[in-house]
Amino acid sequence: MGKTFTQVKNFLGDIFYMSPELDVQSAAEHIRGNISFKGANVWILACAIVTASLGLNVNSTAVIIGAMLISPLMGPIIGMGLATSTVDLQLMKTSLGNLGVMVVISIIFSSLFFVISPLDMSHPSELLARTNPTIYDVMIALVGGAAGALETSRKQKGTVISGVAIATALMPPLCTVGYGLSNLNLRITAGAFYLFFINCVFVALATFLVFKALNIPKVKHLDASLQKRASTWATIFIIVLIVPSVLSAVQVVRENNFNTKAEKYVNSIKKNLENSVIYDYSTNTSVKPYRITLYMAGTKLSDTDKEVLFHEAEQEYNIGRHQIQFEMALTYTNAGDFEKQVYSDLNTSLKQLQDELAAYKAQVLPYSQINAEVKALFPQFTSMSLARGQEKIFAIVSSGEELEAEYLENLKKWLEIRLDSENVEIIQTVR
């Protein structure tokens, strides 16, 4: 038995032993070299800001990932973790200062971008995804920070840092803060900055823990008083780092648990409602205690019906009755009234869709059909193309020779009737 245990221990030791792969000294030098904010890093940050803002503006996941990869924000954050573990006061000052400058610049210029951007933000799903941190963001930042610290310490670097940059989003939340400020939207601004804060804190915390475990030697100061002061500041920073980490994690876990319980509760009571329907629900975790709003249609709930729902919430899901609100969007007394209302709503929606489709078709030029008709009615033209401008429709026609103005005028009148437009301009080219 003892021999087997020793063999298993040795086997596992061979697998997890990584000292030969590490170069702690070069890792520290590499980190110190990546925290500076000058030269190329300034331009790289500018590119990352524009790329992330464009990605959020056009709702492109691929562009946002590109911004994560080129962003230099990870350097100062890992530098803070190294500075704390090695009690390097100067490195801490430099890392914090550079990170602060990068954050301020990112927010200012992303705000300006969204102020002047002419692009529409009708479906900003990528942007809204950066405004509501979850427990998964905490776990990703913690695990990603640990992986980044280990990768930095290896002799042979791989692609881990790129993966960490993608997983622990830093630049997209900052640009989302800029969007929130440019639109004076406090909810988006606060949510996005909270996500950025969580990622920074937990990446730095994971870096500190990994470097501490790797026994990276502390910086030695010649002055004893300076050494003591550096140790004091390192201790303070560790406390400042850990306390928000714990508070943020607890807050995110509570919100996640409440949302999970709310979803289970809604799915459960849907089966128990006979004359009413829950067609949607929402949770509000920005108030205390948390609230859940049920959007309902059907017969108005009696006090007895509500009491049944309150009892199940309290007994099965630990949700108090004061946390539940009902919003009756549609009430009816019998099934016939409900069916009439549903059909009326469907007809209204169908009419809106038909109007939108007609408006879209009106904007699309029937190029193929008109080109065939032009060749039949005006054989002098060898080819024609159509283009819709802001105020006019342009018809670009080609012919073998210069045609008379009267001939072009006839074509113009015909196209105005055919395209139902009074603003058609003919542009002739001779081949």
Side-chain angles (χ1 to χ4, degrees), residues 25-38 40-41 72 75-76 78-79 82 91 94-95 98 102 152:
Q25 185 62 35
S26 65
E29 294 175 359
H30 176 74
I31 293 172
R32 294 174 194 277
N34 281 338
I35 65 173
S36 64
F37 184 58
K38 60 182 180 180
N41 269 352
I78 294 180
L82 174 65
L91 178 61
T94 306
S95 298
N98 288 342
M102 289 183 182
T152 305

Side-chain angles (χ1 to χ4, degrees), residues 18-267:
M18 56 182 179
S19 290
E21 301 179 30
L22 303 179
D23 187 347
V24 173
Q25 185 62 35
S26 65
E29 294 175 359
H30 176 74
I31 293 172
R32 294 174 194 277
N34 281 338
I35 65 173
S36 64
F37 184 58
K38 60 182 180 180
N41 269 352
V42 176
W43 294 101
I44 292 173
L45 179 68
C47 294
I49 294 171
V50 174
T51 304
S53 299
L54 279 171
L56 293 170
N57 207 169
V58 301
N59 209 45
S60 171
T61 303
V63 176
I64 293 172
I65 290 175
M68 296 177 186
L69 286 171
I70 65 178
S71 170
L73 287 168
M74 189 67 72
I77 297 174
I78 294 180
M80 289 190 295
L82 174 65
T84 309
S85 63
T86 59
V87 195
D88 190 336
L89 190 59
Q90 184 57 45
L91 178 61
M92 176 59 68
K93 291 180 180 179
T94 306
S95 298
L96 281 172
N98 288 342
L99 179 63
V101 172
M102 289 183 182
V103 168
V104 171
I105 289 176
S106 299
I107 293 176
I108 291 175
F109 282 95
S110 60
S111 300
L112 293 175
F113 173 90
F114 286 109
V115 166
I116 65 176
S117 174
L119 300 178
D120 182 32
M121 293 287 287
S122 55
H123 301 290
S125 59
E126 288 292 339
L127 188 144
L128 294 177
R130 271 83 190 174
T131 61
N132 187 27
T134 67
I135 185 59
Y136 303 109
D137 295 301
V138 173
M139 297 171 62
I140 290 170
L142 192 60
V143 176
L150 286 173
E151 173 69 5
T152 305
S153 303
R154 290 204 308 181
K155 294 178 182 178
Q156 295 183 346
K157 305 293 188 293
T159 59
V160 175
I161 292 295
S162 299
V164 173
I166 296 174
T168 55
L170 296 172
M171 184 56 71
L174 280 183
C175 292
T176 303
V177 171
Y179 172 83
L181 291 176
S182 67
N183 289 272
L184 301 179
N185 190 318
L186 182 60
R187 186 186 67 82
I188 289 180
T189 301
F193 192 80
Y194 184 39
L195 175 59
F196 173 77
F197 173 78
I198 284 178
N199 285 338
C200 283
V201 168
F202 280 92
V203 168
L205 178 61
T207 304
F208 162 73
L209 295 174
V210 169
F211 288 151
K212 205 66 176 169
L214 294 178
N215 292 319
I216 293 184
K218 296 181 180 180
V219 172
K220 299 297 182 181
H221 299 282
L222 297 177
D223 189 343
S225 62
L226 182 60
Q227 180 74 37
K228 183 178 180 180
R229 188 172 59 177
S231 299
T232 301
W233 278 108
T235 303
I236 293 174
F237 185 78
I238 291 171
I239 296 173
V240 171
L241 195 65
I242 292 177
V243 170
S245 301
V246 174
L247 294 178
S248 298
V250 170
Q251 177 71 12
V252 171
V253 169
R254 285 177 177 172
E255 293 177 1
N256 186 77
N257 288 344
F258 179 77
N259 289 329
T260 301
K261 289 191 297 183
E263 181 180 5
K264 292 181 179 178
Y265 170 64
V266 171
N267 291 333

